[in-house]
Amino acid sequence: MKNDPVKVGVIGVGHLGQHHAKHYKNLSDCDMIGIFDVNDTQSTRISRKYNIPSYRTLESLINKIDAVSIVTPTKHHSSVAKLCIERGKHVFIEKPITQTLDQADKLLKIAKQKNVLIQVGHIERLNPALTALKPYSINPKFIELQRLAPYTSRGTDVPVVLDKMIHDIDILLSLVHSPVKAIQAKGLSILTNSVDVAHARIRFENGTVASIMSSRIAKNDVRKIKLFQRELYATIDLFAHTTEVYRVLENEKQGNPSALIEPFHYDEKSLYISYEKPILEKTDLLKVELKNFISSIIGTETSIVSGVEGRDALQVALKIQNKIIQDLH
Ligand code: NAD
């Protein structure tokens, strides 16, 4: 039996939220009911642009929907999400889930009581440059993650660790399945009164070490990962959407047919290095992410990034941020 379409809304239709509204309008299995934004001019503009009803109050939109994307600045995620969850609505919250761990834990608790879904917008998990690693047996021992972005005032309600670095923290936690053992961090303010550049060294209980660097003051966007493990080295460019994997093979027949294979000698053994650069398909990641949210509500898929995973990434981000603040004082 076919489910009724999920009635969906979007709260906050600024830079990113308008794209949520646009995609819901075109997705199957959902009805785009309307948008709400505290900025009337913005909500009227987006309402006209995409021919979507604009609601004058949050309450009037909530009354009409089953599920909602929350795409307000981060400082409002907690209060808006709490209201929606208490009213039994499924919520897609843009990253980071909230500003504090206490807020995230409260949302998770109420969502459990109300039996509603929380999904978090850590969209990089869908990046084809990252998903290209799936065919390989990934068990990193050292990872370097770098994210630089030109300055924009959007996102400056929180430090760079919660705005930019949290993407890489979420990726890291999805690759290293071990608890965090120790964190060292350093950061500084350049343009804002908050931390604009941050570096963290994270050691996991299984011995893996990660080095993460993020800056919101840069000339160009850079989003790169270098991953090292026994007999494998991968470079991932999340911005250019490219992945390159080098592997050691004992036998040239072990390589994939598409790989370039070069012999080398080590310790009186003849070995091979295979180089693979998978061809990655370009897709609209936000569309895929929101489709997954609707399918998770219906029960045909599971959420790519759950509320708990969003909370876990926030926990590590806040530990890094606290270390930076301690170091600054
Ligand atoms: P933005 O400032 O462009 O838009 C936010 C909108 O929310 C504005 O139109 C504002 O008027 C509205 N708003 C503010 N408070 C509100 C409230 N209480 N109720 C309803 N509307 C409210 O910001 P943005 O760049 O679109 O970012 C929004 C969120 O999306 C942030 O949490 C940010 O971290 C996240 N984000 C995620 C990604 C990603 O890669 N996943 C990228 C950009 C932004």
Side-chain angles (χ1 to χ4, degrees):
M1 202 179 72
K2 194 153 170 26
N3 292 295
D4 289 338
V6 177
K7 295 189 191 108
V8 68
V10 177
I11 302 173
V13 284
H15 174 76
L16 183 60
Q18 59 182 292
H19 297 291
H20 281 241
K22 172 188 78 185
H23 283 309
Y24 284 133
K25 190 147 190 228
N26 297 315
L27 280 180
S28 53
D29 298 326
C30 73
D31 274 345
M32 180 60 203
I33 299 298
I35 56 176
F36 169 72
D37 195 298
V38 287
N39 180 337
D40 283 344
T41 316
Q42 179 66 2
S43 66
T44 306
R45 198 174 73 78
I46 300 307
S47 165
R48 289 201 183 126
K49 186 171 177 188
Y50 297 113
N51 192 20
I52 295 168
S54 160
Y55 284 71
R56 297 207 67 116
T57 64
L58 183 54
E59 201 59 25
S60 56
L61 175 64
I62 293 180
N63 284 337
K64 296 263 171 62
I65 55 176
D66 307 313
V68 66
S69 273
I70 297 168
V71 202
T72 64
T74 300
K75 62 183 176 191
H76 300 296
H77 286 185
S78 165
S79 58
V80 175
K82 185 166 174 283
L83 203 71
C84 297
I85 296 169
E86 279 172 348
R87 300 283 297 275
K89 313 299 169 186
H90 304 285
V91 293
F92 181 102
I93 310 176
E94 263 306 337
K95 50 59 46 182
I97 180 169
T98 53
Q99 249 180 322
T100 72
L101 206 56
D102 189 43
Q103 291 168 342
D105 284 333
K106 280 197 179 116
L107 293 186
L108 288 168
K109 191 174 166 201
I110 313 169
K112 202 169 175 191
Q113 286 162 359
K114 294 284 177 181
N115 199 22
V116 298
L117 189 77
I118 301 183
Q119 186 162 330
V120 184
H122 284 292
I123 197 164
E124 292 280 40
R125 279 269 211 115
L126 286 163
N127 193 310
L130 188 69
T131 57
L133 292 180
K134 272 194 184 144
Y136 302 95
S137 177
I138 297 297
N139 181 19
K141 287 294 157 219
F142 180 71
I143 317 181
E144 187 185 85
L145 306 101
Q146 186 191 38
R147 183 171 298 254
L148 314 177
Y151 175 78
T152 142
S153 59
R154 288 182 292 101
T156 51
D157 57 326
V158 290
V160 70
V161 179
L162 265 69
D163 187 34
K164 305 274 179 237
M165 189 183 272
I166 197 152
H167 281 294
D168 292 318
I169 295 169
D170 174 66
I171 291 174
L172 183 63
L173 297 183
S174 76
L175 293 172
V176 183
H177 305 287
S178 174
V180 170
K181 190 173 178 186
I183 293 176
Q184 291 172 315
K186 176 94 191 154
L188 68 145
S189 305
I190 296 182
L191 286 184
T192 73
N193 290 333
S194 160
V195 174
D196 296 319
V197 177
H199 175 261
R201 185 181 188 275
I202 303 178
R203 190 176 176 85
F204 291 86
E205 278 182 12
N206 67 358
T208 301
V209 169
S211 166
I212 319 187
M213 192 267 178
S214 308
S215 170
R216 57 184 169 201
I217 295 168
K219 187 161 186 283
N220 300 310
D221 275 294
V222 176
R223 299 177 195 163
K224 287 188 178 170
I225 302 175
K226 293 189 180 73
L227 183 155
F228 303 83
Q229 67 184 54
R230 184 80 194 145
E231 298 186 343
L232 185 145
Y233 162 55
T235 64
I236 299 143
D237 189 326
L238 296 162
F239 195 68
H241 290 187
T242 57
T243 302
E244 294 167 287
V245 181
Y246 301 81
R247 283 189 299 149
V248 176
L249 308 177
E250 285 183 0
N251 180 328
E252 63 186 316
K253 293 197 177 69
Q254 290 173 321
N256 289 336
S258 62
L260 290 173
I261 297 180
E262 293 283 340
F264 77 103
H265 298 281
Y266 172 68
D267 200 18
E268 295 178 8
K269 273 188 281 182
S270 288
L271 297 163
Y272 297 86
I273 289 189
S274 102
Y275 167 77
E276 289 155 70
K277 188 175 179 187
I279 296 166
L280 306 179
E281 260 185 50
K282 277 207 167 151
T283 43
D284 190 322
L285 302 184
L286 184 61
K287 186 174 170 191
V288 177
E289 194 182 29
L290 298 178
K291 189 173 177 307
N292 168 255
F293 176 52
I294 299 298
S295 301
S296 305
I297 293 168
I298 295 168
T300 51
E301 289 180 23
T302 47
S303 290
I304 294 156
V305 180
S306 68
V308 172
E309 288 171 296
R311 179 250 182 233
D312 291 348
L314 178 69
Q315 184 178 38
V316 174
L318 289 171
K319 281 185 183 166
I320 292 171
Q321 177 62 14
N322 289 341
K323 290 268 177 193
I324 292 172
I325 298 301
Q326 279 167 19
D327 179 70
L328 284 176
H329 290 303

